[in-house]
Amino acid sequence: MYEAIRSGKSAVVTVVDEWLDGYKHDREAGLLVLINFVVQCCGCKGVVSKEMFDNMQNAEIISTLTKEFNEESVNYPLCTPGPQWKRFKAGLCEFFRVLVRSCQNSLLYDDYLFSSLLALLTGLSDSQVRAFRHTSTLVAMKLMTALVEVAVTVFAQVKTTQRRYDVETNKRPEDRALGRLEELQANASQLLEHQEELSSMMNAVFRGVFVHRYRDLVPEVRAACITEMGEWLKENPTVFLNDGYLKYMGWTLHDKQGVVRLQCVRALQGLYQEKDFIGRLELFTSRFKERMLSMVLDREPDVAVETVQLLLLIQQMTEEGLSEEECSSVYPLVFAAHRGLASTAGAFLYHKLCSVMARDNEDQDMGARRFAFLHILVCFYTQSEFHEHGAYLVDSLWAVAGSELRDWETMTSLLLEETEPGQGPSDEEEGALIELMMCAMRQAAEVLPPVGRAQGKKVLSMKDKKTQAQDRRRITAHFIPLLPQLLAKFSADVEKVTSLLKAPLHFDLETYSSTSRLEKCLDVLLVQVWAVVEKHTDGGVLEACARVTCALSSPRYTFSSRADLAVSQLLDRLTDRFSSHLNDLLQGTADEDDVYSAANTLKRIAAFSCAKDLTGWKLFEPCFKLLKSGTESRDMDKELMVPALKCAAFHLLWERQKVSCSTPSEVDLKQLRKEFRSFCVVCQSCLSVVHAEIRDQSFELLCDLLLLFGLGSMRSQPALHSLALPPCDPLRSEMAAFLLDHVFTEPDDHELAGEEEAEVRISTLQRRRNQLAGYCKLVIYGVLDLSAATDIFRHYSKFYKDYGDIIKETLCKTRMMSPVQSARTLCLSLQQMFTVQVSEEQGARDLGEIRDLARRLAMSFGIDLQRVRSPLLALHTDGIRFAFREAEDGDSPPNLAFLEILSEFSFKLLRQDRAQLLVFLKGECGSAAPSWPAVKMYHRSLQPGSSRSAEGPSPHSTPVAKRRRPSPPVSIVSEGAWLDSSGVRGNMPGPTLTSTLEKQPPAHTSYAASTFSEPESDDFIEGSVMRRVEPNRPAQPSPSQLDSHLTLLTLIEEDEQEADIDEFESDDSDSETAVTLPSTRRSTSYLEDLF
C-alpha cells in the first residue's frame, strides 16, 4: 500500500478496496497491514510482527519501533521536499478519508478496526520521535474530519427516521403499519448506537490527540491540528461551533510561528463566510477582535494579507462590523511596500468608501456616484499622513476600483468646472485629484507598480498588453484637447502644473500627426508650455517642461520639426536676454533687477541644457567668464553661479558626446581640452566657498566630468586620448578635503532646525550619498589612485549606517581591480587613523574605535581564505613595518600598539602564512620586543589554531561582563486577566507547551465515557489553562540502559527546549512588522545605478 500511495500510480479507491477485501478475509492480518502502512508512512524501517501485536502493549511496540528507526536522515516522508512527497501527503490524507467513507455502514462500528487504529495513533502522537508524532497526528486529524462528516450524515438520518416514526405514530390505530413502526424503531435505535459510537471515537481523538498536539513543538503539527479543527467547525456547527472549541482558534492566533497563525486565520475565514454562523461567533469576535486587528501588522506578510481579508468579512457579514477607529488600523496598509498586502487593504478601503457613498447617496445615478466616489477618495487621501504617495494608493485600489480610477472624463470635468468661490473643490483637493489622476494615468499606460513595490520582473500577457494599448489610446484621445486647458487654469501653481506636465509622456504621441486639428492642439500645448517656462523658475517645473519638449522633439515623430522650431525660438529669446545683462554683470554695474532677471534666465537655459544639446548657442564662454569673475571677486550670487555651473558643465558633456560620435579635428579636441581644464580650475576654487549650493554643485559636476574625461572612458577610442586629463594634486587635495569637511560629518544644527527636520535630514543625507558615490566612482574607474580611497575606508565603521553600502561596494570593486593594492590601502587607512588618534590624544590610545573598524574590514575578505592569502600577507607585512618604524634601541616604538589592530586580521590567515609572518615579526623586532604586551598579543594571534575568540584582552580595552542566562519566567495568570492584555502589542497568555512525554491529560480536560461532550469552558476564561506548567522530565537512565538511550539521541526531541519556548505568547508575531511604508528613493537598485 505504501508504494502505491507514494508512487501515485494507483487510484486511492482501488487501494482501499483491495485492503478491505483482505481485511474481511482475515481482520487481524488486515489490521497488521494497515498498522505497518502507518509505520512506513512515518519513515520507520521497523515492522510490527504478529507476535509483537499479540504480546505487546502499544507503548512497548512504539518503543521497539523507535529503536529501529532509520537515523541516516532527519527527513521523513511528510517533511521531505519535492513534488512527489507533496503528492504522497495528499494521497495519504485521501486514503484515510476514503477508508472511513467505505466503512461508514459496517466496519466503522465493529469495535475492532478503528478502535485499534486510533489507540495506536494516540500512542504515536505522544512519541518523542518527531516523525511518529507528526504523521500520526495528521492521520488522526484526517480521520477525525472524516468521522465528523459521517456523524453529520448519521445525525441527518436519525432526524429523518424520527420524523417518519412520528408521522407513522400519529396515524389512527387502524391505519398504522406495525411492521413499519418496528422497522423504523429498530433503525432509529441502530442509528443512535452508531451516533454514540462515533461520538466516542471523536471524543477519543479530540481528547487524546488534539488537546495535546495543538500546542506541539513542531509548527507543522500545530498547523495540521488547527486546519482540521476549522473543517470540524464548518461541517458540524451544531456540536463544535461553540465557545468551548472556538477558544482554541483564539489561542492559536497568538502562535509564534507564521504558518500556524496563517492556517488559523484561514480557518476563521471559512467560518465568517457563512451567514448562519455569525450569531454563534459574536462572543469570539468581541474577545479576539483586538488581536485580529493587531495581526494586520504581522511580521509575516501572508498572515497580514489573510487577516485583512478576515476583517473585511467581519465588516461585511456582522451587524456591528468594525468601528471607524478599528478600520483606521487597516487604512495605512494601502501605502505598504508589500503589494499583496496593499491590494488587500485597498479592497478593504474600497468596500468602506462604497458603503459610505451608498449611505449618503442612495438615489443618485451612476455619474453622480462617480463624482461622490472621487470626492470621498480625495478626502481620504488628503487626510492621510502619507498623502505624498499617491502612486501607492492608486496601485492598491487598481484591482478593485480600476473603472473609477480610469474615469478621466469625470476627473477632468471636476477640475475644469467653473464654480463660485467656496462651492467647488478646495485648492488642496484639486491638487490631490490631479496627483491621483496622473498616478492612475501612469498605472494604465505603463502597467507597472510604483518604485519599491515591484516583486520581480513581470512579463505582460497578451491580454494585459491589449488592455494597456486600449488605455493609452483612451488617455491620448481624451487629454490631447483638454491638457492645454488644464495647464492654462493651473499654470500658476507649481505642484499642479508639474504633475500635469507628466501627462504627454503617457500619450501615444504619433496621434498628433493623424489630423490637422490635432496638430493645432500640439501648437496650443507648446504655447502653454512656453507660458509655463516664462512664468516659473522652480527647478521641478522647468525640468518637466524640458522633458516634455524633448519627447515632442524626438526625430521618430513626423511633427518633431514643429517642436524643434518652437524650442529654438524660445532659446533664442532666453539667450538674447541673458546676453543683454552679461556685460553689466561682468563689470559689476548690474542692479538687483538685472541680476534677478539674468539668474532666472540662466535657470531656464540650464534646465533645457539637461535634455537638449545647446552647444550651438555657444554658452560656455559667457558662463565661464561669469564664473571666473565671481571666483576672483569672491562676490558670488548663488542664484547666478549655480545655473552658470550647470550650463558650462552640460556644454562640456554635450561636446564630449559629439566628439565620441564623430571624427573631430585636432583643433576641436584642443579647444575642448582647454575648456575642460579651465572649468576644473573654476570648480576647484568653488569647493572652498561658504555657499553650500555652489560648493555641492561644483563637487558633483567635477566628479561627473573627471569620469567622462578620464583615460578609462576613452580606452576604446584612441583618437580621443589627447582629451584625457587626470586631476592635478591640488584638485585631489581639495576634493578629499571636501569629503572630510562636508560628507563625513554630522549635519549642521541650522540644517535641522524647524518643523521639517526629518525631511531636511533625509535630503541632506541623499545629497551626501550622491557626492560620496561620485568620488568612489573616480577611484573605481582609475581616475584617482587607490590611495585616495583611504579617506573613505577609515570612515567605514563610524558612518556605516549612512554610507556602509556604498563603501562596501567600493571595497569590493577595488579588490577586484587589485587585491594586494586594495589590502595595502586598507592598512594605510588604519595607519592614518591610528596616527591621528595618537597625535590628538597624546598617548592615551583608546583603540576601541580603530579595532572595530579593523574587525569590519577583516570580515570583508570573505571565506575563501586561499584566494585572499597574498592580500592578507601584504597587509600584515605593511602593518608590522609601520609598528616598528622609528624604533630606538631599548625603547618601545611609538606605533607598537598598531599590532593590536593588526591582530584583528589574524584569524583569516592560513597556517603556513602564520608561520611566515612569525619569522618576519622576529626579524623586525629587537631582542626586548617579545616582552612588550602588544607584541605578545599579536604573536599569540599568529599561533596555529588561534582565533579571535582565543585572543587575550587588549591592554587598552575594557573588559566585557558575562551575560547571564535568563531563567524562564514562572507566573500564574488569574482567571480572565489575559483578556485585558490582548492589544496590538499585548501579551496574551495562552496554554504553554506540554512535554511530549506527558501521559496525563491537562487539568481542564474532562473525558466522557460514551458521549461526545464539549470541553468545559467559561466563555474563554478558564484560568487553569492559562497556568504555566513545568514540563515533565524523563527519569534518569540506569547505566545498563545508557547505550540504548544514546542510540536515540538523534531522534528524540530535547525536552529542555520546552522551558524556553512559549508558542502562544507571540510578541514575535507582530513586534517586527513586515509592513514597510513607501519610500520614493530607490533603495534596492541604488548601487547598480551608482556603479
Side-chain angles (χ1 to χ4, degrees):
M1 284 198 302
Y2 174 77
E3 289 299 327
I5 297 298
R6 187 181 65 84
S7 63
K9 295 180 180 179
S10 302
V12 176
V13 176
T14 304
V15 177
V16 172
D17 290 341
E18 290 177 356
W19 178 84
L20 285 175
D21 292 340
Y23 177 82
K24 292 174 183 178
H25 182 264
D26 187 350
R27 70 175 192 173
E28 291 185 359
L31 177 59
L32 204 58
V33 171
L34 183 61
I35 290 174
N36 282 312
F37 168 66
V38 173
V39 173
Q40 281 183 290
C41 291
C42 295
C44 181
K45 301 299 182 181
V47 177
V48 180
S49 62
K50 189 175 185 306
E51 292 75 14
M52 293 171 59
F53 185 73
D54 293 337
N55 301 323
M56 292 185 181
Q57 298 294 327
N58 284 336
E60 296 173 331
I61 294 175
I62 295 172
S63 177
T64 303
L65 292 174
T66 301
K67 297 176 182 179
E68 298 177 0
F69 202 93
N70 177 26
E71 298 184 46
E72 295 178 358
S73 174
V74 295
N75 289 335
Y76 50 95
L78 288 186
C79 75
T80 303
Q84 178 185 1
W85 297 107
K86 289 184 179 180
R87 292 193 296 269
F88 166 76
K89 181 179 179 180
L92 177 64
C93 298
E94 179 68 14
F95 175 86
F96 284 99
R97 187 182 68 85
V98 173
L99 177 63
V100 173
R101 286 188 177 183
S102 302
C103 300
Q104 62 180 339
N105 296 321
S106 57
L107 298 179
L108 191 59
Y109 314 105
D110 66 351
D111 289 333
Y112 180 74
L113 172 60
F114 283 92
S115 59
S116 302
L117 178 61
L118 291 177
L120 178 66
L121 292 175
T122 303
L124 287 173
S125 69
D126 202 33
S127 171
Q128 287 182 310
V129 179
R130 177 176 299 191
F132 283 154
R133 206 165 64 251
H134 186 184
T135 308
S136 61
T137 301
L138 177 64
V139 171
M141 293 299 101
K142 291 296 180 179
L143 283 173
M144 177 76 169
T145 302
L147 291 174
V148 169
E149 294 174 356
V150 174
V152 171
T153 303
V154 171
F155 180 74
Q157 292 174 350
V158 169
K159 290 180 64 177
T160 302
T161 305
Q162 186 64 41
R163 186 170 61 252
R164 291 175 180 175
Y165 181 82
D166 293 340
V167 169
E168 195 70 28
T169 305
N170 291 333
K171 292 181 180 180
R172 290 179 302 176
E174 58 272 16
D175 296 334
R176 294 175 186 170
L178 297 179
R180 176 66 174 166
L181 279 176
E182 292 177 357
E183 180 183 357
L184 290 174
Q185 188 172 9
N187 289 340
S189 300
Q190 185 181 20
L191 288 173
L192 289 175
E193 290 179 3
H194 290 174
Q195 188 175 8
E196 185 176 353
E197 291 181 16
L198 287 171
S199 298
S200 178
M201 285 188 286
M202 290 189 296
N203 198 39
V205 175
F206 186 83
R207 303 294 185 181
V209 180
F210 178 86
V211 169
H212 300 290
R213 299 279 68 80
Y214 87 99
R215 48 188 177 178
D216 194 274
L217 282 172
V218 182
E220 289 79 6
V221 175
R222 303 198 300 273
C225 290
I226 211 65
T227 300
E228 296 307 314
M229 169 164 268
E231 297 295 326
W232 310 338
L233 297 175
K234 284 177 59 179
E235 290 291 335
N236 196 353
T238 305
V239 175
F240 289 98
L241 194 57
N242 54 61
D243 302 336
Y245 297 100
L246 284 171
K247 66 182 180 183
Y248 295 103
M249 306 291 288
W251 288 338
T252 310
L253 289 174
H254 294 262
D255 197 283
K256 283 188 176 182
Q257 295 295 325
V259 63
V260 184
R261 298 194 301 274
L262 180 64
Q263 296 302 325
C264 182
V265 173
R266 286 176 175 171
L268 290 174
Q269 288 177 3
L271 300 180
Y272 280 98
Q273 287 173 351
E274 303 293 335
K275 191 68 176 178
D276 298 337
F277 294 172
I278 300 301
R280 297 171 181 248
L281 292 168
E282 286 183 358
L283 182 59
F284 177 86
T285 305
S286 63
R287 294 299 175 88
F288 292 101
K289 183 191 292 184
E290 190 172 359
R291 172 58 186 165
M292 289 186 279
L293 288 170
S294 71
M295 290 176 68
V296 300
L297 299 177
D298 197 277
R299 66 190 304 174
E300 299 291 339
D302 292 341
V303 179
V305 169
E306 298 295 335
T307 303
V308 174
Q309 293 179 353
L310 175 61
L311 292 174
L312 179 58
L313 287 173
I314 294 176
Q315 173 74 8
Q316 293 174 332
M317 305 298 291
T318 60
E319 294 182 2
E320 298 82 4
L322 299 175
S323 65
E324 190 62 32
E325 182 181 359
E326 292 169 341
C327 292
S328 63
S329 64
V330 182
Y331 294 154
L333 298 178
V334 296
F335 301 101
H338 189 274
R339 198 179 190 194
L341 177 58
S343 299
T344 309
F348 184 93
L349 174 63
Y350 179 74
H351 174 267
K352 186 66 177 179
L353 296 180
C354 290
S355 63
V356 173
M357 184 177 60
R359 183 185 62 207
D360 298 338
N361 308 280
E362 296 181 355
D363 302 327
Q364 293 182 348
D365 57 5
M366 181 60 68
R369 289 186 178 182
R370 291 287 177 89
F371 273 98
F373 177 82
L374 289 175
H375 176 70
I376 296 174
L377 180 62
V378 167
C379 291
F380 167 81
Y381 181 53
T382 55
Q383 294 172 9
S384 65
E385 59 179 315
F386 305 108
H387 56 271
E388 69 272 18
H389 295 292
Y392 285 79
L393 177 60
V394 169
D395 184 61
S396 301
L397 293 170
W398 196 251
V400 291
S403 59
E404 290 88 346
L405 294 174
R406 290 185 179 94
D407 190 3
W408 321 117
E409 293 81 5
T410 303
M411 294 180 183
T412 51
S413 61
L414 277 172
L415 292 171
L416 294 173
E417 183 181 10
E418 297 294 339
T419 58
E420 296 294 329
Q423 293 184 358
S426 64
D427 182 71
E428 184 182 10
E429 290 174 345
E430 286 179 341
L433 180 57
I434 289 175
E435 183 180 357
L436 292 177
M437 182 176 68
M438 290 298 105
C439 293
M441 189 183 299
R442 187 203 68 85
Q443 186 86 11
E446 298 182 2
V447 199
L448 293 175
V451 175
R453 194 178 273 182
Q455 297 178 345
K457 187 175 181 180
K458 180 182 178 182
V459 179
L460 296 180
S461 62
M462 293 302 297
K463 182 179 179 182
D464 292 336
K465 291 180 180 179
K466 184 178 179 180
T467 304
Q468 179 187 14
Q470 292 175 350
D471 287 339
R472 188 181 285 270
R473 286 194 296 268
R474 283 190 58 228
I475 291 170
T476 305
H478 179 75
F479 279 95
I480 279 181
L482 294 181
L483 183 59
Q485 301 177 35
L486 291 170
L487 290 174
K489 181 176 181 179
F490 300 105
S491 61
D493 191 292
V494 172
E495 294 182 358
K496 295 175 185 175
V497 77
T498 303
S499 297
L500 289 171
L501 285 170
K502 299 176 183 177
L505 303 179
H506 307 303
F507 289 177
D508 183 7
L509 294 178
E510 196 62 48
T511 308
Y512 274 115
S513 59
S514 59
T515 62
S516 58
R517 182 180 66 85
L518 294 180
E519 289 184 353
K520 293 180 180 178
C521 291
L522 173 62
D523 295 335
V524 176
L525 174 62
L526 290 172
V527 170
Q528 291 298 327
V529 172
W530 304 153
V532 172
V533 172
E534 294 289 350
K535 189 177 295 185
H536 290 277
T537 59
D538 180 78
V541 177
L542 295 176
E543 288 178 10
C545 292
R547 194 176 295 113
V548 169
T549 56
C550 182
L552 295 174
S553 303
S554 176
R556 59 183 172 178
Y557 302 121
T558 57
F559 58 81
S560 60
S561 58
R562 303 165 67 98
D564 271 332
L565 179 60
V567 174
S568 299
Q569 291 174 351
L570 174 66
L571 290 172
D572 287 339
R573 293 197 300 269
L574 292 176
T575 52
D576 291 343
R577 190 183 309 164
F578 173 65
S579 299
S580 65
H581 298 296
L582 182 61
N583 290 332
D584 294 336
L585 292 172
L586 294 177
Q587 295 173 8
T589 59
D591 57 13
E592 291 183 1
D593 292 338
D594 293 338
V595 174
Y596 178 78
S597 176
N600 289 339
T601 303
L602 207 52
K603 285 180 181 178
R604 297 182 178 103
I605 296 174
F608 279 88
S609 66
C610 300
K612 185 176 178 60
D613 183 5
L614 303 185
T615 55
W617 279 264
K618 305 297 182 181
L619 292 171
F620 179 81
E621 190 66 26
C623 289
F624 176 73
K625 290 180 180 179
L626 188 61
L627 293 170
K628 186 177 179 181
S629 174
T631 54
E632 289 177 352
S633 63
R634 311 301 291 180
D635 182 16
M636 300 182 183
D637 187 336
K638 65 177 182 180
E639 299 296 331
L640 196 60
M641 295 288 288
V642 171
L645 284 168
K646 288 184 178 179
C647 286
F650 278 106
H651 174 88
L652 295 174
L653 292 174
W654 284 111
E655 287 287 357
R656 172 69 175 81
Q657 175 67 18
K658 287 169 64 176
V659 299
S660 300
C661 302
S662 62
T663 306
S665 64
E666 190 65 29
V667 176
D668 294 336
L669 293 178
K670 187 176 181 180
Q671 179 64 25
L672 180 56
R673 178 183 173 90
K674 180 181 177 181
E675 291 176 351
F676 173 59
R677 182 188 294 110
S678 303
F679 184 76
C680 289
V681 173
V682 171
C683 286
Q684 180 181 343
S685 61
C686 290
L687 292 178
S688 57
V689 300
V690 295
H691 298 291
E693 293 85 352
I694 301 176
R695 193 173 59 227
D696 293 338
Q697 189 67 64
S698 300
F699 184 84
E700 293 167 6
L701 292 175
L702 266 177
C703 291
D704 293 336
L705 288 172
L706 287 173
L707 186 62
L708 285 177
F709 282 84
L711 185 60
S713 64
M714 303 177 187
R715 285 198 179 99
S716 59
Q717 295 174 303
L720 301 181
H721 283 183
S722 59
L723 272 181
L725 184 65
C728 59
D729 292 339
L731 179 57
R732 299 178 190 222
S733 301
E734 287 287 348
M735 296 183 72
F738 180 91
L739 278 185
L740 299 179
D741 296 338
H742 306 294
V743 175
F744 292 116
T745 182
E746 297 296 332
D748 298 333
D749 294 337
H750 72 275
E751 291 181 343
L752 302 180
E755 297 180 356
E756 300 180 351
E757 176 181 338
E759 295 182 5
V760 173
R761 185 187 294 274
I762 291 174
S763 62
T764 302
L765 178 60
Q766 185 68 23
R767 186 184 71 246
R768 292 180 176 182
R769 284 174 59 87
N770 288 332
Q771 292 167 355
L772 177 61
Y775 188 85
C776 290
K777 284 190 286 187
L778 296 180
V779 176
I780 292 172
Y781 289 100
V783 179
L784 298 176
D785 296 334
L786 277 181
S787 59
T790 56
D791 296 322
I792 302 172
F793 295 153
R794 59 185 174 143
H795 293 93
Y796 184 37
S797 180
K798 184 177 181 180
F799 290 89
Y800 183 81
K801 181 179 179 182
D802 295 335
Y803 313 124
D805 54 342
I806 300 177
I807 300 176
K808 184 177 180 180
E809 186 71 12
T810 305
L811 189 59
C812 294
K813 297 291 185 181
T814 56
R815 188 167 292 137
M816 292 170 60
M817 295 164 50
S818 175
V820 174
Q821 190 63 31
S822 175
R824 288 182 169 174
T825 304
L826 295 183
C827 186
L828 182 59
S829 303
L830 295 171
Q831 293 172 15
Q832 292 177 356
M833 194 172 180
F834 178 84
T835 303
V836 171
Q837 183 162 336
V838 169
S839 62
E840 288 179 353
E841 300 185 5
Q842 299 177 356
R845 301 186 187 180
D846 182 9
L847 303 179
E849 182 179 351
I850 308 181
R851 293 194 67 172
D852 181 60
L853 172 61
R855 197 171 297 116
R856 282 187 182 273
L857 294 176
M859 296 302 297
S860 69
F861 280 91
I863 59 175
D864 189 356
L865 302 185
Q866 192 69 33
R867 185 173 57 87
V868 297
R869 287 185 62 187
S870 298
L872 283 173
L873 279 174
L875 184 146
H876 277 270
T877 53
D878 286 0
I880 294 173
R881 290 192 184 101
F882 174 76
F884 291 99
R885 185 183 302 170
E886 301 177 3
E888 299 181 1
D889 295 338
D891 295 333
S892 173
N895 301 330
L896 188 63
F898 188 77
L899 292 177
E900 299 178 19
I901 302 168
L902 204 59
S903 64
E904 297 292 342
F905 296 88
S906 299
F907 75 101
K908 290 285 186 179
L909 292 168
L910 296 179
R911 182 183 297 271
Q912 55 268 37
D913 296 335
R914 295 179 185 226
Q916 182 178 346
L917 286 175
L918 284 173
V919 174
F920 182 78
L921 177 65
K922 292 179 181 179
E924 289 291 323
C925 64
S927 58
S931 61
W932 294 329
V935 177
K936 284 184 177 180
M937 180 180 180
Y938 183 61
H939 189 277
R940 185 164 54 249
S941 71
L942 295 178
Q943 293 297 325
S946 66
S947 63
R948 188 166 52 191
S949 60
E951 295 174 8
S954 168
H956 306 292
S957 61
T958 304
V960 180
K962 287 185 177 181
R963 185 178 62 182
R964 296 184 58 188
R965 179 184 178 90
S967 58
V970 179
S971 61
I972 299 178
V973 181
S974 61
E975 182 176 2
W978 59 277
L979 291 173
D980 299 330
S981 63
S982 60
V984 175
R985 292 292 186 268
N987 270 342
M988 175 182 171
T992 57
L993 293 176
T994 59
S995 169
T996 56
L997 290 175
E998 186 174 347
K999 300 298 183 182
Q1000 298 301 325
H1004 72 285
T1005 308
S1006 60
Y1007 286 81
S1010 58
T1011 60
F1012 186 53
S1013 59
E1014 63 175 337
E1016 297 177 2
S1017 65
D1018 295 330
D1019 298 337
F1020 307 107
I1021 54 175
E1022 267 186 11
S1024 60
V1025 178
M1026 298 298 109
R1027 186 168 59 250
R1028 205 180 277 273
V1029 182
E1030 183 71 17
N1032 291 344
R1033 304 290 183 180
Q1036 183 71 22
S1038 62
S1040 61
Q1041 298 172 328
L1042 187 58
D1043 293 337
S1044 60
H1045 281 282
L1046 289 175
T1047 60
L1048 306 180
L1049 288 180
T1050 58
L1051 304 175
I1052 298 178
E1053 304 287 350
E1054 294 184 3
D1055 193 45
E1056 289 79 0
Q1057 294 178 355
E1058 292 189 291
D1060 297 329
I1061 301 176
D1062 184 0
E1063 296 291 345
F1064 294 88
E1065 295 180 4
S1066 76
D1067 286 342
D1068 285 349
S1069 65
D1070 54 7
S1071 62
E1072 295 182 14
T1073 174
V1075 178
T1076 307
L1077 293 180
S1079 172
T1080 56
R1081 299 188 304 277
R1082 292 173 291 176
S1083 57
T1084 55
S1085 61
Y1086 184 72
L1087 290 178
E1088 296 177 3
D1089 296 339
L1090 291 180
F1091 299 110

